[in-house]
Amino acid sequence: QWLVAGAQPGDILFLQFSGHGTQVQSRDGMEADCKDEALCPTDYKEAGYLVDNEIYDLAVTPLQSGVKMTIILDCCHSGTAVDLPFMWEPRHGNWTEECGSPHTAGDVQMFSGCEDDQCSMDVKRHGRAGGAMTTAMTRAIRECPNFTYPDLLNRLHQYLQEDGHEQYPRLTSSQRFDPRSKCFSMCEGAVPNMNPVLGVGAPPRHQPQRTGGFLGFMQGFLM
């Protein structure tokens, strides 16, 4: 709340989380896989998880047109962990609308460390632990500060595959802009609102619920 409070057009916001993530049963029926993605703050045992639609309501909904926010989530099950409505599909070169998230006016893009049903790995560099996706992003930005959004996403995939990681980073957005004509920047290039109707999203596309396996083990461990 403190991050977005009083934000005005032209303001630039940045939100980054590197830690534990999990999935919990969805209570509102708005998730395609019947699960909510959630962050695990250090006090989650006392205060609870920070669930995707709660993050959306707190950090995305209040933003006005012309306010830019970049989110980086390097944690397990982070693919749609902010419930932004548009997901970039590298194989097809277009946006798909993923869920029933309402459309909002602010300009928000998120890079997540993996798919909703995947785990984000840790790595060690110079004797210090860190997130594999954060490490890959730092390396990519240092290599080329002017990557377009799809090129940066592709480079993250490349670096993670080279290091033997199976996680698949994702790019989601609150606006359906042309990412191939825009360079990645956390400080410039706010996209004005392009959603013709605010507060209305596409209905969820229900899929069979995933159960058991490593995902079930991790959720039980965190709970």
Side-chain angles (χ1 to χ4, degrees):
Q1 289 175 316
W2 64 264
L3 180 63
V4 303
Q8 298 295 317
D11 287 348
I12 304 295
L13 311 176
F14 178 70
L15 174 63
Q16 195 268 348
F17 177 83
S18 184
H20 290 296
T22 187
Q23 287 183 310
V24 297
Q25 193 68 31
S26 176
R27 296 182 179 181
D28 59 13
M30 296 302 291
E31 294 286 344
D33 58 1
C34 302
K35 292 182 181 293
D36 282 325
E37 287 65 52
L39 307 184
C40 305
T42 55
D43 63 347
Y44 78 91
K45 290 185 178 180
E46 295 79 26
Y49 301 117
L50 193 55
V51 182
D52 48 14
N53 50 327
E54 182 180 2
I55 301 171
Y56 188 93
D57 290 342
L58 291 172
V60 179
T61 300
L63 300 182
Q64 302 179 44
S65 178
V67 177
K68 178 180 177 63
M69 175 185 283
T70 300
I71 302 175
I72 297 176
L73 296 186
D74 192 355
C75 58
C76 298
H77 314 299
S78 55
T80 61
V82 181
D83 273 354
L84 296 175
F86 304 113
M87 177 173 284
W88 181 253
E89 294 293 349
R91 295 180 182 88
H92 305 291
N94 59 13
W95 295 105
T96 58
E97 193 158 3
E98 281 298 300
C99 63
S101 297
H103 294 171
T104 54
D107 176 32
V108 183
Q109 283 82 49
M110 181 179 78
F111 283 92
S112 54
C114 62
E115 299 269 19
D116 284 344
D117 60 352
Q118 290 183 317
C119 289
S120 287
M121 298 294 104
D122 291 336
V123 295
K124 280 193 174 182
R125 289 289 187 273
H126 309 295
R128 301 179 64 180
M133 182 267 201
T134 301
T135 302
M137 174 162 279
T138 301
R139 180 181 171 189
I141 293 174
R142 285 175 174 170
E143 174 194 350
C144 179
N146 298 317
F147 275 129
T148 65
Y149 280 81
D151 287 344
L152 177 56
L153 184 65
N154 291 338
R155 190 53 56 94
L156 295 179
H157 293 161
Q158 176 186 336
Y159 285 156
L160 289 166
Q161 289 176 354
E162 289 175 354
D163 289 341
H165 301 300
E166 296 182 358
Q167 65 195 77
Y168 193 84
R170 280 298 198 171
L171 168 63
T172 53
S173 176
S174 63
Q175 303 290 334
R176 201 195 299 260
F177 68 102
D178 182 2
R180 292 162 297 196
S181 63
K182 179 181 176 184
C183 291
F184 169 77
S185 174
M186 292 184 287
C187 304
E188 298 176 350
V191 175
N193 176 49
M194 296 185 292
N195 294 316
V197 179
L198 301 181
V200 177
R205 294 177 291 181
H206 292 283
Q207 299 172 354
Q209 181 176 346
R210 295 185 292 266
T211 57
F214 185 70
L215 173 59
F217 167 78
M218 285 299 297
Q219 184 169 332
F221 173 78
L222 290 169
M223 295 180 67

